[in-house]
Amino acid sequence: MSSPVNLRIVFGGDEDARKLALKTGIPKSVDELVLEIMTVFGVKQKFRLQYKDKDFGNEYMNLTSTTQIEDRDTLKVIFLSTDDFNSCMHETAPDVPSCSSILVPLHKTTCSSDSPNTRHASPCEFDSVSEVYLSEDSFSSSTETVLIKSPESRTSSWPQVFVIPRFSCSAEIQLQRADTEFNKSEMLLIPPPKLRSDILEGMAEEIFRYAAYPTDSQLDQAAEALINVHPCLREKGTRTGHEGWKHYLKIKMANFRSKLSKIGHPEITVNSLRNKREGRGKAASNIKKPKKAEVNFLPCLPRGETADSMEKERIALLTEVKKNNNEAVIKEKMHLTFSYRRQELVEDLPMVSDLQSRWPALFTVNEINAEFMRITTVPLLSKFFAQLDKYTADLQKVFSGKGGASGQKISRIMTVADKCGDIHIKRDCVIQSLCVYFNEDMTTVVKEFEDSNPKEAEARISETTLGLFVIRKEGAGAEEEPSDVGVVIEGVTLLENLKSISFGLVILFGLIYALNLSYPQGLKFTFEFFQKVLMNLDGSKLSPKVQALKIKMFQ
């Protein structure tokens, strides 16, 4: 274990310098150090770090590696937005109760912190277009930045470390005193009704920033974080010390959704009884909520916009699609109409043919990639293929241990990959072997035809509910690139001339999110692997079959 380290963190000028104690030593990466500063000092804004370089007379230089710093060094926080910096500096030190809030957005991080005493300020609303920046681990790029012109849109998925918000001023004062008393005498606090109400209200608002319908494990994580930050709230007589708080949060979230339903929040009102279809007039029937780790499942319309103004934008978009070299305008209007499109998809459940005529711009590779990121805040193509290539060696190790008929079939498939130097063919073989490993039949979704019989291909494609079609030259083998790969849903060909089977499956995966569809039953475990292992969306809750594969991959 590394020796404890103390760092001097300067916010703006030397008049605001704070001590950062790192019990486990200096983190291995700059990202981990940034997260530590964010959680300990309650900083939500994007920033970079600078250190004093001895080679340049202790002038500040950008920190690119944690090997450049040592114990008792000084680091300077450089905020990337002047306006947000001024707002952030209004926050007091983390141990001093404050009535103010940080008026800057929370950016997603992919690291975790060992420090339990972490709190963030209350979230703000955005009056203008806000940019969502993802970390390098999420394979973000400038072309995959999402612009969401809506203050109610979420900008990150459920965090790995749930950060407790600041509560009301009076609640913070009471909790600070009770925590101090607990540290002295381990005396627990029995919160009076008003204090309990303030805590639950703040927790509900923070939870809703990530999920309107939190899972049982997410509520458990939030309750555990609460007693870690405020140990005076621990409960006697319970196994975990927070089971009562978890129960309170579950009830509070139900009441919180009821309040939002009364003011017309679309993510809640879509499940009200008056919006149920005929024959499904029960409260628990056909609940429309995120089922594949969607972050922006059913967002509100942008501020100042109505359904009529959004419909005008949609009609204008139909004209823009017909123009050449107009990708920038199309992308902007697709961002603007995102919430309107999601409400149409989730509430009305239109046919794909109707969607294709109303939203033709959606059915392109670039827009499917962008729509996936609007929904999940994660880039589709870059992350999927980077993760697939990263885990290929681990998958091959597991595949080689598979016995029986499945093992022999996988061996034949991977022999093609070993002989062929084409990366697309290799990815196709890995995914095909994955299907075999899960005892799934890839042909239920991927239909192959020869170009010598186009009529048969057209007839069978028109009967396909959801899948890919692959056209090969007559007599061509699996080691040769197909002549054409396309995506078909409800008998409608949505995309053609895709690069490979693996590329087509990724686009199909993105369309399932974009059109709010379910995974094909024939490949449900393969698509679960795509979502939870490769894309790491809700990756902590796996089916036994996928969990077993993941364990073997990392042994």
Side-chain angles (χ1 to χ4, degrees):
M1 181 175 177
S2 301
S3 302
V5 170
N6 293 317
L7 297 175
R8 180 172 178 264
I9 310 298
V10 176
F11 292 85
D14 288 339
E15 68 277 1
D16 188 2
R18 308 179 193 177
K19 179 180 177 181
L20 176 65
L22 301 171
K23 296 181 180 180
T24 58
I26 296 176
K28 294 181 180 179
S29 69
V30 176
D31 282 346
E32 292 179 15
L33 179 57
V34 166
L35 179 61
E36 190 73 21
I37 293 172
M38 291 175 68
T39 53
V40 171
F41 298 121
V43 179
K44 293 190 175 184
Q45 186 187 353
K46 187 176 177 67
F47 63 88
R48 68 174 183 269
L49 293 173
Q50 291 187 338
Y51 73 105
K52 289 185 175 182
D53 195 317
K54 297 177 182 178
D55 294 336
F56 293 91
N58 284 332
E59 292 291 331
Y60 281 111
M61 305 290 288
N62 288 339
L63 181 68
T64 58
S65 172
T66 54
T67 59
Q68 297 169 321
I69 58 176
E70 54 189 25
D71 187 23
R72 299 183 181 276
D73 272 359
T74 296
L75 297 180
K76 189 173 185 178
V77 173
I78 306 296
F79 291 91
L80 301 186
S81 169
T82 303
D83 294 337
D84 290 343
F85 165 75
N86 292 333
S87 296
C88 185
M89 287 301 97
H90 290 153
E91 189 199 14
T92 58
D95 293 322
V96 179
S98 170
C99 301
S100 62
S101 298
I102 298 177
L103 300 180
V104 290
L106 170 65
H107 298 288
K108 180 179 179 181
T109 56
T110 56
C111 304
S112 61
S113 173
D114 295 330
S115 173
N117 295 320
T118 59
R119 12 171 134 168
H120 277 182
S122 302
C124 69
E125 290 189 345
F126 305 103
D127 292 327
S128 59
V129 177
S130 61
E131 293 192 9
V132 180
Y133 296 90
L134 300 180
S135 67
E136 184 179 354
D137 186 66
S138 296
F139 302 94
S140 63
S141 68
S142 59
T143 60
E144 290 170 328
T145 298
V146 181
L147 303 177
I148 303 178
K149 191 182 179 182
S150 174
E152 294 82 4
S153 295
R154 299 185 177 98
T155 58
S156 62
S157 57
W158 187 269
Q160 293 185 12
V161 178
F162 186 85
V163 181
I164 301 302
R166 288 193 180 276
F167 303 118
S168 66
C169 189
S170 60
E172 285 290 339
I173 293 173
Q174 293 178 72
L175 288 172
Q176 185 198 21
R177 290 174 178 172
D179 286 335
T180 302
E181 186 64 31
F182 177 84
N183 292 332
K184 291 180 180 178
S185 61
E186 295 190 357
M187 179 180 294
L188 296 175
L189 172 68
I190 300 177
K194 180 63 169 66
L195 177 58
R196 187 189 303 276
S197 177
D198 287 348
I199 293 172
L200 293 175
E201 187 72 21
M203 290 291 290
E205 290 182 358
E206 186 70 10
I207 290 172
F208 191 82
R209 294 182 65 240
Y210 304 107
Y213 297 89
T215 63
D216 186 75
S217 62
Q218 289 170 343
L219 290 174
D220 187 78
Q221 182 184 352
E224 183 179 8
L226 177 63
I227 66 168
N228 285 338
V229 172
H230 299 293
C232 65
L233 296 177
R234 292 180 182 273
E235 300 163 325
K236 287 184 177 180
T238 62
R239 180 176 57 85
T240 61
H242 62 263
E243 291 175 355
W245 284 108
K246 177 183 174 182
H247 178 69
Y248 290 139
L249 287 175
K250 185 175 182 180
I251 296 174
K252 181 61 181 179
M253 287 305 299
N255 294 335
F256 195 71
R257 287 192 295 268
S258 296
K259 288 167 58 177
L260 292 176
S261 178
K262 292 177 181 178
I263 63 176
H265 194 291
E267 195 170 3
I268 312 303
T269 57
V270 69
N271 293 313
S272 63
L273 290 177
R274 64 177 176 271
N275 289 327
K276 297 285 185 180
R277 290 194 168 191
E278 187 176 350
R280 295 186 176 182
K282 296 181 180 180
S285 174
N286 193 31
I287 297 295
K288 296 176 180 178
K289 62 181 182 179
K291 298 177 181 178
K292 300 185 292 293
E294 297 95 333
V295 176
N296 288 302
F297 178 71
L298 193 58
C300 297
L301 296 180
R303 179 170 295 173
E305 301 288 353
T306 64
D308 291 337
S309 65
M310 287 287 94
E311 179 64 14
K312 291 178 181 178
E313 290 289 345
R314 185 195 68 81
I315 294 173
L317 185 57
L318 295 177
T319 303
E320 299 296 339
V321 170
K322 300 175 182 178
K323 299 178 182 178
N324 295 326
N325 302 319
N326 202 28
E327 290 79 7
V329 176
I330 292 173
K331 185 175 182 179
E332 180 183 352
K333 288 187 176 296
M334 287 294 287
H335 283 310
L336 178 62
T337 56
F338 168 65
S339 55
Y340 180 62
R341 184 165 55 254
R342 287 298 295 178
Q343 291 183 21
E344 178 181 327
L345 277 161
V346 175
E347 295 176 5
D348 300 337
L349 304 175
M351 299 291 290
V352 169
S353 56
D354 295 334
L355 284 171
Q356 191 179 34
S357 61
R358 286 178 57 80
W359 302 98
L362 178 61
F363 299 97
T364 63
V365 170
N366 288 339
E367 276 306 319
I368 291 170
N369 189 49
E371 193 82 348
F372 184 87
M373 192 169 178
R374 295 179 195 117
I375 296 169
T376 66
T377 74
V378 176
L380 173 61
L381 297 173
S382 59
K383 181 163 187 178
F384 184 97
F385 286 121
Q387 293 292 87
L388 180 62
D389 294 342
K390 175 182 176 181
Y391 293 137
T392 290
D394 297 318
L395 287 169
Q396 286 179 310
K397 177 188 68 176
V398 178
F399 294 159
S400 63
K402 185 74 171 178
S406 297
Q408 295 176 5
K409 189 173 182 180
I410 290 175
S411 180
R412 290 193 297 269
I413 295 170
M414 294 309 297
T415 299
V416 175
D418 295 337
K419 291 180 179 179
C420 182
D422 191 318
I423 184 63
H424 299 299
I425 301 297
K426 186 173 184 178
R427 288 168 176 168
D428 292 353
C429 292
V430 171
I431 293 178
Q432 189 176 351
S433 299
L434 185 66
C435 295
V436 176
Y437 186 88
F438 286 137
N439 293 320
E440 294 181 322
D441 186 3
M442 193 171 182
T443 60
T444 59
V445 174
V446 181
K447 312 288 185 181
E448 297 204 11
F449 308 97
E450 292 186 344
D451 58 4
S452 59
N453 196 351
K455 290 186 178 180
E456 179 189 357
E458 290 177 6
R460 292 185 59 187
I461 288 172
S462 64
E463 298 172 354
T464 302
T465 302
L466 185 148
L468 301 184
F469 67 83
V470 180
I471 308 296
R472 296 188 184 274
K473 293 180 181 179
E474 187 174 4
E479 69 279 359
E480 299 182 40
E481 290 187 2
S483 303
D484 189 13
V485 177
V487 177
V488 182
I489 299 179
E490 295 178 2
V492 179
T493 300
L494 300 177
L495 290 98
E496 298 179 274
N497 301 317
L498 302 178
K499 300 176 183 178
S500 61
I501 294 175
S502 55
F503 193 85
L505 285 171
V506 178
I507 295 300
L508 178 61
F509 177 70
L511 273 172
I512 287 173
Y513 273 81
L515 305 182
N516 194 36
L517 303 175
S518 300
Y519 293 145
Q521 280 298 308
L523 294 183
K524 65 178 182 179
F525 293 116
T526 300
F527 275 81
E528 181 188 347
F529 184 88
F530 291 171
Q531 174 197 324
K532 298 184 177 182
V533 179
L534 296 185
M535 304 302 293
N536 195 26
L537 295 170
D538 197 19
S540 61
K541 188 177 180 181
L542 305 175
S543 65
K545 186 173 285 191
V546 177
Q547 181 70 68
L549 172 59
K550 186 177 181 181
I551 292 173
K552 291 180 180 178
M553 284 172 59
F554 299 113
Q555 283 180 344

